[in-house]
Amino acid sequence: MTTTVPARQEQQVHDDAGRSAPMIRRCQVSIVRSTPAGRPMASEDRRRPGQLRRMNGALLTLWDLRPCIDVAALVLTELVTNAFQHGGGEDITVTWCADVTHLTMRVEDSSPVRPVLRAVDETSEGGRGLGIVEALADAWGVSEDGRTVHCALALAEYAARA
């Protein structure tokens, strides 16, 4: 697993013209899967969502975003699990970005097959991941090339809970 975490930034960033812009924080993690795409997940890969949940908690604590940790962890778990189960290629990349209004998470794999929200019922054994993402995130979507699923959580909603 390769991790890039920039240093904590101030609430306002000033450009060369002296204008203020909102703080942007970013962290990116690249994971090399141990199981070939399309095969049942190996135990090492089954541990990845839990590892990323713990990383999510530490990162959002560092960024003073504790109120949204649980929802972000659940959404992240669904996106990462989908990438391991259905994605292609060897690498999966997870990116967190936060500004003053939103926490955005992106999960990218090499599969050009676009994830689709499925209709499920109480007897379905799977297929609920994107439904959970849709229910909890303020916005979500899939890139044009199908390789990246992203979602956003509005931080104002969580600030009210703090």
Side-chain angles (χ1 to χ4, degrees):
M1 195 178 321
T2 304
T3 309
T4 305
V5 182
R8 188 178 179 101
Q9 299 176 9
E10 297 301 319
Q11 286 295 329
Q12 294 286 319
V13 177
H14 300 280
D15 66 13
D16 292 337
R19 295 176 297 217
S20 291
M23 168 182 58
I24 297 176
R25 296 157 286 186
R26 185 172 190 272
C27 177
Q28 188 170 65
V29 177
S30 294
I31 305 160
V32 177
R33 69 167 80 221
S34 60
T35 309
R39 298 239 176 137
M41 287 172 37
S43 62
E44 183 178 345
D45 289 343
R46 284 195 304 271
R47 289 192 299 268
R48 295 297 189 196
Q51 292 168 341
L52 287 163
R53 274 193 306 274
R54 289 186 294 281
M55 183 177 288
N56 176 76
L59 182 65
L60 298 185
T61 297
L62 175 69
W63 288 353
D64 293 327
L65 299 176
R66 283 182 196 90
C68 68
I69 287 174
D70 292 337
V71 171
L74 182 53
V75 170
L76 178 66
T77 298
E78 295 302 330
L79 295 180
V80 168
T81 300
N82 283 350
F84 272 99
Q85 289 178 338
H86 307 293
E90 291 183 3
D91 295 335
I92 294 171
T93 302
V94 178
T95 305
W96 292 261
C97 291
D99 59 24
V100 294
T101 62
H102 288 87
L103 169 66
T104 303
M105 296 179 289
R106 292 192 266 299
V107 177
E108 179 181 358
D109 62 55
S110 300
S111 175
V113 178
R114 292 177 59 84
V116 177
L117 182 63
R118 291 193 233 165
V120 295
D121 62 27
E122 64 275 356
T123 62
S124 300
E125 291 186 23
R128 291 179 176 80
L130 288 179
I132 291 170
V133 172
E134 182 175 70
L136 295 176
D138 293 288
W140 76 278
V142 181
S143 64
E144 287 296 320
D145 65 4
R147 297 176 192 275
T148 304
V149 179
H150 55 88
C151 67
L153 303 177
L155 296 177
E157 177 182 328
Y158 299 96
R161 297 181 194 176

